[in-house]
Amino acid sequence: MADSASSSSPVILWFRQDLRLNDNPALAAAAATGRPVIALYLLDTAPPAWQMGGASLWWLHHSLSALSAELKRLYGVSLLLRRGDAREILPALVRETGASAVVWNRCYEPAAVARDTALKTMLTADGIAVETCNAALLFEPWQVKTQSGGWFKVYSPFWRACRTLPPPAAPIRAPQKLYGFAGLAPGERLEDWRLLPHKPDWAGGLRATWQPGEAGAAKRLHDFIAQALHGYSDGRDRPDHALTSRLSPHLHFGEIGPRQIWQAVQMAAGQSGAAARHADKFLSEIGWREFSYHLLFHFPDLPERNFRTDFDAFPWQDDATLLRRWQRGQTGYPIVDAGMRELWLTGWMHNRVRMIAASFLVKHLRQHWRHGEAWFWDTLVDADLANNAASWQWVAGSGADAAPYFRIFNPILQGEKFDPQGAYVRRWLPELARLPDKYIHKPWLAPASVLREAGLRLEQDYPQPLVDHDTARKAALAAFAQLRNDDRQTAGAA
Ligand code: FAD
């Protein structure tokens, strides 16, 4: 950052989805000026859509609390909290403090891009230096281009193109020194934002599962590399084994950055052999995250509109009861219900089960993918506009490089394949715990004597299947065929 201003005029460091001190280029830029720094977190209440859901707000509270404690401990700097419309609050803070520069790490959600562009124009016009940095991605969405200079709509060539670019820069350490700004009126209190659930306090499971904040993220990465990376490519599809990193909420809130993960994983795995194969597979999943951001940046309607417009005519059913049963984990298909209960209790669900549960909603129940997207948005601690929208559209078949609609997961076979002893199902559906393995994914087929022995009363303790798999599958395929016919007729008429 050019330092033409007086050495006493402060720099505003605006924290957003980068709630960490290490590998935080905006923080490094602010510190490098040697001027007093105002560390700000601004709860932006302005964007009309996609305000954070309940689980995200819970996470945000704890993450801000951790960041604030670390800033104080390492530098004696307080985190200033302000709430309201960023387009008003930030310029007002500049005026109030006489700040001559503002620095932040970029966000890529459409509303954030619009807001930040407007703010940058406004501040620059007032003679304020604005610097923006990349803390969230390995490769900027505009940096990865097809041979004709366009953007990618298919993952594999996208990731291949990324791998031909210069590798991501090495992560940077937290600055040694940061000077606070003395003349600052006290900000708001985190407790007053009431981000945590009160009545009812549903967050007990979240508290038991997660440690939000930079230290929690570093521990997750360390434990994953030490305990699970060596089995990742073979084990990542097994919800009964804890072989994925669970870094997603930490990544979403920027408590850890992808460059840090990239470097740590590569160093641990080396260049060849089995370890390198697992590392490659893991980094390719980070690549899916990059791809989602690439898609959202170039197609900002991704969270709201079908990427493939032929899906606009899909005959969805609109049934609040079916949706509610799915949300509550009451579909009668154990692998789906276990996933939905895991989500409700911990704010997270294993990726394979996300795919099965999502597919069940859009194909077996034929509810619009946007209902599922909205529910995940509210309940996931890793709710992420790019990843959530891209994944829902992938499952629905309406997305870029999506799973074909006609490939319909059989929830019984998926359960038997990926949770063969039913350990995952038993964990989240204790009412089924005593069923033998043979019936754990299809309790309605168990003979009465087996049910009696397992202490299970169907319909009372656990529901009968909400829909019959074969019937639902045929209905979904018929709906899809209707879409294709309509398409052909429209093409014929044109
Ligand atoms: P790991 O297997 O350890 O992967 C490491 C990281 O790579 C993840 O933390 C994540 O950042 C990224 N990643 C992995 N798989 C994917 C993927 N398929 N797409 C994009 N990034 C990926 N992920 C979110 O972060 N937020 C969401 O809101 C979200 N919604 C989803 C909705 C549906 C219907 C589906 C099918 C998937 C969704 N995912 C979402 C993707 C994926 O399920 C999670 O990223 C993953 O389960 C997180 O667990 P992990 O950190 O242990 O993953």
Side-chain angles (χ1 to χ4, degrees):
M1 181 181 287
D3 192 7
S4 56
S6 95
S7 61
S8 60
S9 69
V11 177
I12 297 176
L13 164 63
W14 181 13
F15 281 102
R16 297 118 63 87
Q17 280 164 236
D18 53 349
L19 305 180
R20 64 176 184 270
L21 303 182
N22 286 287
D23 199 34
N24 186 327
L27 166 61
T33 64
R35 304 208 315 256
V37 170
I38 298 168
L40 167 74
Y41 183 85
L42 204 165
L43 189 63
D44 194 356
T45 51
W50 303 111
Q51 292 278 357
M52 272 181 247
S56 297
L57 290 174
W58 176 88
W59 192 285
L60 178 68
H61 175 100
H62 293 291
S63 193
L64 286 176
S65 173
L67 177 69
S68 162
E70 274 306 276
L71 277 168
K72 200 64 171 182
R73 187 180 72 80
L74 281 180
Y75 309 118
V77 168
S78 301
L79 181 64
L80 176 69
L81 299 180
R82 293 269 164 105
R83 179 176 34 173
D85 183 341
R87 295 178 210 225
E88 290 163 13
I89 300 233
L90 197 59
L93 186 65
V94 167
R95 285 194 297 276
E96 180 187 327
T97 58
S100 53
V102 183
V103 54
W104 67 71
N105 291 310
R106 289 187 279 278
C107 292
Y108 301 87
E109 293 81 5
V113 171
R115 175 197 65 195
D116 295 350
T117 309
L119 270 168
K120 190 171 176 183
T121 309
M122 207 188 301
L123 293 168
T124 312
D126 286 346
I128 309 299
V130 176
E131 180 171 345
T132 72
C133 312
N134 171 16
L137 295 175
L138 296 170
F139 308 100
E140 297 280 14
W142 50 87
Q143 195 189 351
V144 195
K145 292 191 183 129
T146 61
Q147 282 188 340
S148 58
W151 51 284
F152 284 94
K153 296 165 189 87
V154 179
Y155 167 77
S156 300
F158 165 81
W159 192 232
R160 269 199 304 276
C162 290
R163 302 298 303 254
T164 62
L165 293 171
I172 49 177
R173 281 180 181 278
Q176 298 248 311
K177 288 202 175 97
L178 195 71
Y179 302 105
F181 178 65
L184 201 60
E188 298 175 42
R189 285 170 7 117
L190 186 55
E191 290 66 33
D192 295 339
W193 285 1
R194 298 178 69 83
L195 305 178
L196 299 177
H198 289 276
K199 285 185 194 157
D201 173 7
W202 42 260
L206 274 62
R207 280 194 292 274
T209 314
W210 302 102
Q211 183 194 342
E214 188 170 6
K219 182 172 180 330
R220 277 265 174 217
L221 177 61
H222 173 272
D223 291 352
F224 170 67
I225 289 176
Q227 294 158 18
L229 179 61
H230 56 269
Y232 183 79
S233 22
D234 311 316
R236 61 181 286 275
D237 267 328
R238 293 285 297 267
D240 53 344
H241 297 166
L243 283 174
T244 68
S245 71
R246 295 181 180 237
L247 280 165
S248 48
H250 299 288
L251 264 167
H252 171 77
F253 284 92
E255 298 166 352
I256 195 165
R259 289 186 291 258
Q260 294 168 289
I261 296 176
W262 182 272
Q263 190 189 58
V265 166
Q266 295 239 340
M267 279 172 65
Q271 295 302 309
S272 60
R277 179 172 65 85
H278 291 295
D280 236 40
K281 182 69 192 158
F282 177 71
L283 294 176
S284 75
E285 296 304 320
I286 301 286
W288 273 101
R289 175 177 180 271
E290 299 275 320
F291 183 53
S292 301
Y293 275 74
H294 184 81
L295 288 179
L296 179 65
F297 184 80
H298 292 289
F299 182 68
D301 288 340
L302 190 70
E304 286 95 19
R305 274 187 31 215
N306 292 314
F307 187 86
R308 287 182 44 189
T309 48
D310 48 334
F311 267 79
D312 292 352
F314 191 85
W316 300 106
Q317 301 192 78
D318 204 4
D319 187 323
T321 307
L322 292 180
L323 179 63
R324 189 96 188 133
R325 294 275 297 263
W326 175 81
Q327 290 170 336
R328 296 284 158 203
Q330 293 284 346
T331 69
Y333 285 93
I335 191 77
V336 175
D337 294 339
M340 298 309 290
R341 306 243 196 123
E342 178 182 28
L343 172 61
W344 182 250
L345 292 170
T346 70
W348 187 86
M349 194 196 298
H350 187 278
N351 179 60
R352 168 59 50 178
V353 190
R354 288 188 204 203
M355 292 198 289
I356 302 169
S359 167
F360 189 84
L361 182 75
V362 294
K363 297 184 180 173
H364 288 75
L365 304 184
R366 275 191 291 131
Q367 302 301 299
H368 199 297
W369 58 265
R370 290 208 55 193
H371 293 307
E373 182 195 32
W375 182 251
F376 272 28
W377 181 256
D378 195 29
T379 52
L380 277 171
V381 284
D382 64 26
D384 181 280
L385 202 60
N387 280 352
N388 200 34
S391 300
W392 273 98
Q393 292 229 38
W394 184 89
V395 173
S398 62
D401 198 12
Y405 184 86
F406 56 79
R407 206 171 289 154
I408 296 179
F409 279 148
N410 177 329
I412 307 161
L413 296 182
Q414 287 284 313
E416 288 173 348
K417 182 165 178 197
F418 295 110
D419 181 30
Q421 281 84 42
Y424 176 77
V425 160
R426 281 178 231 280
R427 176 160 182 215
W428 299 109
L429 303 177
E431 62 271 42
L432 303 187
R434 287 163 59 204
L435 271 182
D437 294 1
K438 185 174 173 193
Y439 296 110
I440 191 75
H441 292 290
K442 43 187 182 219
W444 65 95
L445 293 184
S449 58
V450 171
L451 290 174
R452 229 181 359 262
E453 187 118 333
L456 180 67
R457 293 162 307 168
L458 282 178
E459 274 314 323
Q460 280 153 284
D461 304 325
Y462 185 71
Q464 293 276 1
L466 195 50
V467 288
D468 168 66
H469 167 67
D470 282 332
T471 315
R473 182 174 174 280
K474 283 184 191 130
L477 289 176
F480 185 59
Q482 185 186 326
L483 182 71
R484 303 301 296 271
N485 277 341
D486 290 352
D487 228 29
R488 264 183 232 120
Q489 276 163 18
T490 317

